[in-house]
Amino acid sequence: MGYQLELRHFHYFLAVAEELHYRKAAERLFISQPGLSRQIKQMEEILEVELFVRNKKKVALTTAGEYLKGELQFLLNHLELTKKQLTLVNEGNFGEVRIGFLGSAMQNVIPDLLIRLKEKFPQIKTSLEELSNTAQLEAVIKDSLDIGFVRLARVPAGLFIKPVFEDTFSLVLPKDHTVDSVNFKGIGQVAKENFILFAQDYSPLYYDTIMSICEDAGFTPKVSHKSVHAQTIFKLVENNLGIAIVPTSLQYGFQMNVKFIALSHIPQRAVLSVIWKEDNRNPALRHCIALLLNE
Amino acid sequence: MGYQLELRHFHYFLAVAEELHYRKAAERLFISQPGLSRQIKQMEEILEVELFVRNKKKVALTTAGEYLKGELQFLLNHLELTKKQLTLVNEGNFGEVRIGFLGSAMQNVIPDLLIRLKEKFPQIKTSLEELSNTAQLEAVIKDSLDIGFVRLARVPAGLFIKPVFEDTFSLVLPKDHTVDSVNFKGIGQVAKENFILFAQDYSPLYYDTIMSICEDAGFTPKVSHKSVHAQTIFKLVENNLGIAIVPTSLQYGFQMNVKFIALSHIPQRAVLSVIWKEDNRNPALRHCIALLLNE
DNA sequence: AACAATCAATAACTATGGGTTATCAGTTAG
DNA sequence: CTAACTGATAACCCATAGTTATTGATTGTT
């Protein structure tokens, strides 16, 4: 009866909720399966709520379990941040901002931000992690990331999104391609080529934008390869496996043997945006956002 | 060494941080003082941070301790809310809004809100608590209240404030007073009377507004009594101990033997506002605010 | 249909560590 | 100096988290 909820329960519950498999969850936690079973059961008794349905060899979350999973992920992430901040406060420093970003943001925006952050708030530390659009979205919601740099048109309620960098698109061609910046008239000239694009689920907005560019030129592109790494795309173009359209700023920062033709005459732009959560309690975040938007 | 932080530590830490006295904190927690001492020490070892300074018979929080106190209060309050929400989710319902209010809000705004809330979101429960302006402010910040109904001009950063009800002021006079609604010209007529007002620290804005009303009429009121309850003020007026100026809507809902004269010609208004916290994660709150603001 | 394989739950046991009482070592007040 | 406080230490106890061994139930295989 008189048991108390403890953080241990939360860690155990989350392990099971994520694995949906007691034995695997127990392994991950370095404890035995029966011990885990008992603790979860106890947790259900304390909360007086069924968290899992386990009939017919299947483990699944109940609605209540689903809700609790989200809240506990938030709570534990927030607790982790608090611990970090605590040692910083203890050392007389004041905070850490956890930043996620798409590879392409590393060319301009991120280095810029880091330099100005160091100038103005030398007491704020940063941690950087390269992640996909969707991974950043989830991480920001779950409070394991403070801000993300993404290419998205809109975000779920509870998040803020603000554009921070607009870039033209460029056509990427092999060095020996007949089209060059002198005789280039419009992308209609390369309508027959194979296209190499960033994968759709990696960046839906990018994909749709490229499609609209081609539509405007009156053709539907034949897509032969998809990738999530700029480097790969350039290598493929270099080896005559197709051509690409990418944000212009990607032409800096890679070693490659291809030519870029800026499509500055078309209206579409590659927009990089910051996202963060309305209810993020990290005080260092406010400074970081202010730095990004004002000035 | 290989110890883990647990919720127990948080409750113990907060008890000591609030009492600043080990024995009293231990009493409050229904455990022995040595046990508490050991747990706090262990917590400091786990976090590798000094949380209290205890030299010369004094217990005080360090800067880090102060920071941790705030964060843990938030975390534990949030956890409490999550538990409540969880049982509601489990029952197929969806949330609870914790409402604080000044007594005067009970005349119009609160009943109105409750009725419309029940209509539109029957699944949302409410808990109501009558509190002073400052008590509501603190509770909202600490996440032990979702919204408050207050009379304040501005609130600290991190909070939102929106006016929801504007009321004229009324002069409150004994039934047999020579001034009445027929021969009433302006409050200059009662400049010589004793005034009975709501206490200044109970509602600074109200107090200042009354002062400005009298200033506009060219006199400084002689304040003979202060109170925090409307009922008390009316009783005092009834017994010829002075006159009062209060929000007009207070004339409904009390049994009293006084007369009200609405001061609709003066510019000052009694403004009741909702306050809530930007980073409040309660989904039910959003609905509640939307209902209050959009109509 | 019988078999092995794999799941979570149950039972019985062990030992870590949270909480206890008793005591000590400072500090303050009278 | 004594009495009355404080919080910290020491030594003990026992509740309970985690262990191993086993069962029962479901699934896939031959």
Side-chain angles (χ1 to χ4, degrees):
Chain A
M1 310 287 105
Y3 288 75
Q4 280 285 105
L5 267 194
E6 288 296 346
L7 288 182
R8 169 175 28 88
H9 292 111
F10 299 167
H11 288 117
Y12 291 2
F13 167 77
L14 281 184
V16 178
E18 279 160 17
E19 301 283 349
L20 291 178
H21 196 291
Y22 275 75
R23 200 180 49 74
K24 284 182 195 167
E27 261 172 39
R28 185 171 121 182
L29 295 164
F30 302 107
I31 63 169
S32 68
Q33 173 265 315
L36 180 58
S37 278
R38 270 218 332 189
Q39 290 296 311
I40 296 290
K41 197 179 171 191
Q42 192 186 85
M43 190 173 173
E44 290 181 318
E45 278 165 11
I46 297 171
L47 291 169
E48 297 178 309
V49 168
E50 294 252 304
L51 299 172
F52 296 99
V53 254
R54 346 101 149 96
N55 44 4
K56 307 225 174 206
K57 204 176 163 105
K58 278 212 176 112
V59 178
L61 281 163
T62 61
T63 315
E66 203 71 62
Y67 169 78
L68 190 63
K69 180 184 168 191
E71 290 302 310
L72 290 188
Q73 282 174 332
F74 167 79
L75 268 165
L76 292 187
N77 280 329
H78 187 74
L79 181 59
E80 277 315 302
L81 177 62
T82 299
K83 280 194 222 163
K84 279 191 195 171
Q85 301 268 37
L86 186 68
T87 61
L88 291 175
V89 168
N90 193 44
E91 292 162 4
N93 296 318
F94 280 100
E96 172 180 341
V97 188
R98 299 160 300 173
I99 303 172
F101 61 97
L102 294 174
S104 57
M106 234 350 174
Q107 303 309 320
N108 316 289
V109 184
I110 298 274
D112 227 278
L113 172 64
L114 294 186
I115 289 167
R116 287 166 56 204
L117 207 53
K118 179 144 202 167
E119 250 173 43
K120 204 146 181 203
F121 303 103
Q123 73 279 32
I124 295 181
K125 320 273 179 200
T126 54
S127 78
L128 292 162
E129 202 174 352
E130 185 171 345
L131 291 168
S132 76
N133 278 310
T134 45
Q136 287 185 64
L137 211 52
E138 277 175 35
V140 168
I141 291 170
K142 292 294 183 205
D143 220 4
S144 65
L145 216 58
D146 292 311
I147 64 177
F149 287 93
V150 297
R151 297 190 192 279
L152 291 170
R154 67 201 130 258
V155 287
L159 294 189
F160 283 130
I161 180 163
K162 297 275 178 188
V164 286
F165 186 71
E166 256 194 40
D167 201 3
T168 55
F169 284 100
S170 278
L171 198 57
V172 186
L173 301 173
K175 264 283 164 63
D176 55 0
H177 198 279
T178 54
V179 174
D180 60 32
S181 52
V182 178
N183 63 26
F184 177 73
K185 291 286 181 312
I187 54 168
Q189 288 175 265
V190 294
K192 292 275 163 29
E193 302 272 354
N194 283 321
F195 278 79
I196 306 162
L197 303 178
F198 282 103
Q200 187 166 15
D201 50 1
Y202 177 73
S203 185
L205 179 61
Y206 161 83
Y207 201 88
D208 290 347
T209 309
I210 301 299
M211 288 300 155
S212 86
I213 290 174
C214 295
E215 257 172 48
D216 291 351
F219 69 95
T220 305
K222 193 165 49 161
V223 180
S224 59
H225 298 90
K226 294 178 183 179
S227 170
V228 297
H229 288 298
Q231 186 75 64
T232 312
I233 291 179
F234 295 144
K235 264 278 170 281
L236 294 172
V237 173
E238 200 174 309
N239 293 308
N240 278 296
L241 292 167
I243 65 169
I245 300 177
V246 301
T248 303
S249 60
L250 278 176
Q251 78 181 286
Y252 312 109
F254 292 98
Q255 290 209 340
M256 58 189 135
N257 198 31
V258 295
K259 55 185 172 189
F260 270 68
I261 301 176
L263 304 175
S264 31
H265 60 292
I266 62 167
Q268 288 87 348
R269 292 286 180 271
V271 179
L272 188 75
S273 302
V274 219
I275 58 170
W276 74 97
K277 203 165 60 158
E278 288 178 24
D279 65 299
N280 189 309
R281 303 189 84 241
N282 186 348
L285 168 66
R286 303 287 147 192
H287 295 131
C288 194
I289 294 293
L291 217 56
L292 271 166
L293 300 185
N294 314 350
E295 168 80 42
Chain B
M1 315 289 102
Y3 290 73
Q4 280 285 106
L5 266 194
E6 289 296 349
L7 288 183
R8 170 174 26 88
H9 293 112
F10 299 167
H11 288 118
Y12 291 3
F13 167 77
L14 281 184
V16 178
E18 280 159 17
E19 301 283 351
L20 292 177
H21 196 291
Y22 275 75
R23 198 180 50 75
K24 284 183 194 166
E27 259 173 41
R28 185 171 121 183
L29 294 164
F30 301 107
I31 63 169
S32 68
Q33 172 266 315
L36 179 57
S37 279
R38 271 215 333 192
Q39 290 295 311
I40 296 290
K41 197 178 170 191
Q42 192 187 87
M43 190 174 175
E44 291 181 317
E45 278 163 13
I46 297 170
L47 291 170
E48 298 178 308
V49 168
E50 292 252 306
L51 298 173
F52 295 100
V53 256
R54 347 104 149 97
N55 44 3
K56 306 223 175 206
K57 203 173 162 111
K58 279 212 176 113
V59 178
L61 281 163
T62 62
T63 315
E66 204 72 59
Y67 170 78
L68 189 64
K69 180 185 170 191
E71 289 303 307
L72 290 188
Q73 281 174 333
F74 167 79
L75 266 163
L76 292 187
N77 278 329
H78 187 76
L79 180 60
E80 277 315 302
L81 177 62
T82 300
K83 280 195 224 165
K84 281 190 192 171
Q85 301 267 37
L86 185 68
T87 60
L88 291 175
V89 168
N90 193 46
E91 291 162 5
N93 296 318
F94 282 104
E96 172 181 353
V97 187
R98 299 161 299 174
I99 302 172
F101 61 97
L102 293 174
S104 56
M106 231 356 174
Q107 303 311 319
N108 313 291
V109 184
I110 298 273
D112 225 350
L113 172 65
L114 294 185
I115 289 166
R116 288 166 56 203
L117 206 54
K118 179 143 203 169
E119 250 176 43
K120 202 146 185 204
F121 303 104
Q123 72 278 35
I124 294 181
K125 317 274 180 200
T126 54
S127 79
L128 292 162
E129 208 176 346
E130 184 173 344
L131 291 168
S132 76
N133 279 309
T134 45
Q136 287 185 65
L137 210 53
E138 275 181 34
V140 168
I141 290 171
K142 290 293 182 207
D143 225 356
S144 64
L145 216 59
D146 291 310
I147 64 177
F149 288 92
V150 297
R151 297 190 192 278
L152 290 170
R154 67 201 131 257
V155 286
L159 295 189
F160 283 126
I161 180 163
K162 297 273 181 194
V164 287
F165 186 68
E166 256 194 37
D167 202 358
T168 56
F169 284 98
S170 278
L171 199 57
V172 186
L173 301 173
K175 265 281 165 64
D176 55 2
H177 197 279
T178 55
V179 173
D180 62 31
S181 52
V182 178
N183 64 25
F184 178 72
K185 291 285 180 312
I187 53 167
Q189 288 175 265
V190 294
K192 292 275 160 38
E193 299 271 356
N194 283 322
F195 278 77
I196 305 163
L197 303 178
F198 282 104
Q200 186 165 16
D201 49 352
Y202 178 73
S203 186
L205 179 62
Y206 162 83
Y207 201 87
D208 290 347
T209 310
I210 301 300
M211 287 301 152
S212 87
I213 290 174
C214 295
E215 255 177 51
D216 290 355
F219 70 95
T220 306
K222 195 164 49 162
V223 179
S224 60
H225 297 89
K226 295 179 183 178
S227 170
V228 298
H229 288 300
Q231 186 75 65
T232 311
I233 292 179
F234 296 143
K235 264 278 170 285
L236 293 173
V237 173
E238 206 172 301
N239 292 309
N240 277 295
L241 292 168
I243 64 170
I245 301 177
V246 301
T248 303
S249 61
L250 279 176
Q251 79 182 285
Y252 312 109
F254 292 97
Q255 290 208 340
M256 59 189 134
N257 197 32
V258 296
K259 55 184 171 191
F260 272 68
I261 302 177
L263 304 174
S264 31
H265 61 293
I266 62 168
Q268 287 89 346
R269 291 287 179 272
V271 178
L272 188 76
S273 302
V274 219
I275 58 169
W276 72 97
K277 203 166 59 160
E278 289 178 23
D279 63 272
N280 190 310
R281 303 190 83 243
N282 185 350
L285 168 66
R286 304 286 147 193
H287 295 130
C288 194
I289 294 292
L291 217 56
L292 269 167
L293 300 186
N294 304 351
E295 163 79 46

